[in-house]
Amino acid sequence: MTKPALSRSAYVDAALDIIAELGVDKLSMRKVATQLGVSPMAMYKHFSAKDDLLAAAFDAFIARADVIPSDDLPWEQWVEQAGRGMYLALCAEMSWVPLLGSLPMGKQAATVTDAFVKKLQLAGFKLDQAVEAYYAVIQIAVGAVCLRASLGIADIRTPDAGELSSLTQNYLENADAARLTIAPVQEALLKRDQIDIALPLLIEALRARLKRQS
Amino acid sequence: MTKPALSRSAYVDAALDIIAELGVDKLSMRKVATQLGVSPMAMYKHFSAKDDLLAAAFDAFIARADVIPSDDLPWEQWVEQAGRGMYLALCAEMSWVPLLGSLPMGKQAATVTDAFVKKLQLAGFKLDQAVEAYYAVIQIAVGAVCLRASLGIADIRTPDAGELSSLTQNYLENADAARLTIAPVQEALLKRDQIDIALPLLIEALRARLKRQS
DNA sequence: ACCTGAACACCGTTCAAGT
DNA sequence: ACCTGAACACCGTTCAAGT
């Protein structure tokens, strides 16, 4: 009996399964192939290299994350929800984080761009301002997830109330008076959702900019 | 003749050499050991695992980057320069970028925190606002570098004038009218320094916040 | 204390060969 | 066209042994 030829998306789905279970760092060409009952080398007919598979998997991940908010929201809330959506999707699958700086944006990312720019243009922003705002939100979402990851927060559970984050623990080595004052404030800040640090400030600045030109 | 015992910092220096030459992704325990003329296993007396070496190397990298601006600048410029300094240091050694979300902050990062918070407190911000502003700047700097890396910009050269970034190339696959309008604006934006996208907006918001409470 | 040698259990990828 | 098997050139890390 001849095996049906495996499609590109079959490999991508298998990769996403393995990533969900073991994390991006444990993904290997061999594991994907084994899950599909195929030789590892079969994949090189569909993907030029592991990076290619990873980029395709990330784009599929973005599609599933579904970060585009409902259209009837006012722009401030729309932007806030879009940024939070990106942040939350990545928080749920934090093993992507170390690769965030090396993954190329694919087709699904482009549809998010389109929706964002359109929403802001309808709100009265100029095209270049809308594009600028989009990339500012992306930066902040990615930065927030990176910061969260550096805190050593595990994927699911929130940190135990009594326990200092690893970041604050490091900070308190060789502590002086200033650090002892700063540490609890830092710890309180970092216990909140990291997306709430810079995103509200950004939206404030955008609102001021819009008001100034109307 | 007995070899002098190798210190932790000798390993870190060797690691930074290899990273500067080949990139973080090509660093291996075996290469560091070979450069020092030692068995790979010798390192496990000084570092519990490769992650431990990498964290130490990153902290040394931060120390060398020297991102703390001169003290006599007004706070807006000080914050702007600090953020830009982080951004530029990472742009110069972009192979760190994929790891930005998984590297813990060490002692050198803590001295940057201290300087930043102190500067903003002297400018009139409350402690919690100063800490919040610091992490907002970190997020934006990290996000900007991640975005720059995703553009497929090589470490040194600026992209050829005539050539679209890989991000815009991907964006233009299956292009409709809207995308054809957005693409050149996006490309112009992404040719600028990525740190200039969100950092000025953040500083604007901070200034407004400070004015409101005084 | 610090280092070594050999081994284990993995990797990504090439290449020639199969059907 | 698509897949296989064997091989190459690597990895991080463990463990028992050396000095």
Side-chain angles (χ1 to χ4, degrees):
Chain A
M1 95 187 180
T2 58
K3 256 181 251 173
L6 251 27
S7 67
R8 208 167 190 275
S9 72
Y11 288 109
V12 170
D13 288 345
L16 282 176
D17 277 0
I18 291 167
I19 288 167
E21 199 191 344
L22 302 174
V24 175
D25 43 316
K26 300 291 178 193
L27 183 79
S28 75
M29 300 295 268
R30 284 167 151 96
K31 275 179 195 143
V32 175
T34 306
Q35 179 158 116
L36 293 170
V38 112
S39 140
M41 300 315 111
M43 308 178 64
Y44 285 84
K45 277 286 142 189
H46 300 274
F47 303 92
S48 64
K50 191 189 176 184
D51 279 355
D52 195 13
L53 171 63
L54 230 31
F58 186 64
D59 212 43
F61 171 76
I62 289 179
R64 292 185 191 182
D66 191 29
V67 300
I68 300 178
S70 130
D71 212 26
D72 51 5
L73 292 173
W75 73 266
E76 292 98 326
Q77 283 175 47
W78 198 99
V79 168
E80 210 270 341
Q81 255 191 47
R84 184 178 301 277
M86 299 174 197
Y87 170 78
L88 289 176
L90 287 167
C91 285
E93 201 126 23
M94 292 232 290
S95 68
W96 284 110
V97 175
L99 295 183
L100 247 35
S102 57
L103 291 164
M105 308 273 194
K107 284 177 197 173
Q108 295 304 324
T111 70
V112 180
T113 313
D114 291 344
F116 196 107
V117 171
K118 194 176 136 214
K119 183 75 191 180
L120 259 63
Q121 281 189 290
L122 287 174
F125 287 93
K126 290 180 203 144
L127 175 58
D128 60 329
Q129 293 175 325
V131 174
E132 196 172 322
Y134 173 64
Y135 284 102
V137 170
I138 297 272
Q139 281 184 17
I140 284 170
V142 168
V145 183
C146 283
L147 176 58
R148 184 181 175 80
S150 306
L151 296 176
I153 298 172
D155 281 39
I156 300 161
R157 60 171 193 109
T158 39
D160 303 356
E163 205 174 271
L164 284 179
S165 72
S166 60
L167 195 153
T168 301
Q169 279 174 44
N170 287 339
Y171 181 68
L172 282 175
E173 281 179 37
N174 320 106
D176 58 4
R179 272 189 204 176
L180 287 173
T181 320
I182 292 174
V185 177
Q186 172 179 286
E187 191 66 11
L189 176 72
L190 296 177
K191 283 243 165 79
R192 287 164 40 195
D193 254 330
Q194 280 70 39
I195 192 69
D196 292 326
I197 299 176
L199 188 58
L201 283 163
L202 177 77
I203 292 174
E204 238 177 76
L206 289 175
R207 193 188 289 119
R209 189 171 277 193
L210 183 63
K211 193 185 266 179
R212 212 177 311 132
Q213 77 194 25
S214 68
Chain B
M1 94 187 180
T2 57
K3 258 182 250 175
L6 253 27
S7 68
R8 209 167 189 272
S9 73
Y11 289 109
V12 170
D13 288 345
L16 283 176
D17 277 359
I18 292 168
I19 289 168
E21 198 192 346
L22 302 174
V24 175
D25 42 316
K26 300 292 177 193
L27 183 80
S28 75
M29 300 296 267
R30 284 167 150 94
K31 276 179 193 143
V32 175
T34 306
Q35 179 159 117
L36 292 170
V38 112
S39 142
M41 299 316 111
M43 309 179 63
Y44 285 86
K45 275 287 143 184
H46 301 274
F47 303 92
S48 64
K50 190 189 176 185
D51 280 355
D52 193 12
L53 171 63
L54 230 33
F58 187 65
D59 211 44
F61 171 77
I62 291 180
R64 293 185 190 184
D66 192 28
V67 300
I68 300 178
S70 130
D71 211 26
D72 51 4
L73 291 173
W75 73 266
E76 292 97 327
Q77 284 175 45
W78 198 100
V79 167
E80 211 271 339
Q81 257 191 46
R84 186 179 300 276
M86 297 174 200
Y87 170 79
L88 290 176
L90 287 167
C91 285
E93 201 126 23
M94 292 232 292
S95 68
W96 283 111
V97 174
L99 295 183
L100 248 35
S102 56
L103 291 164
M105 308 273 196
K107 285 178 197 174
Q108 296 303 325
T111 71
V112 181
T113 313
D114 291 343
F116 196 107
V117 170
K118 193 177 136 213
K119 183 75 190 178
L120 260 63
Q121 281 189 290
L122 286 175
F125 288 93
K126 290 180 205 144
L127 175 58
D128 60 330
Q129 293 175 324
V131 175
E132 194 172 324
Y134 172 65
Y135 283 103
V137 170
I138 297 271
Q139 279 183 18
I140 283 170
V142 169
V145 183
C146 282
L147 176 57
R148 183 181 175 82
S150 304
L151 296 176
I153 298 172
D155 283 39
I156 299 161
R157 60 173 194 106
T158 40
D160 304 356
E163 203 175 89
L164 284 179
S165 71
S166 60
L167 194 153
T168 301
Q169 279 174 44
N170 286 339
Y171 181 69
L172 281 174
E173 281 178 37
N174 321 106
D176 58 5
R179 272 190 203 178
L180 287 171
T181 320
I182 291 174
V185 178
Q186 172 179 285
E187 192 67 10
L189 176 71
L190 297 178
K191 283 242 163 80
R192 288 164 40 194
D193 255 331
Q194 282 70 39
I195 191 69
D196 292 327
I197 298 176
L199 188 57
L201 283 162
L202 177 77
I203 293 175
E204 240 176 77
L206 290 175
R207 193 188 290 116
R209 189 169 279 194
L210 184 62
K211 192 185 264 178
R212 211 176 312 131
Q213 77 195 25
S214 68

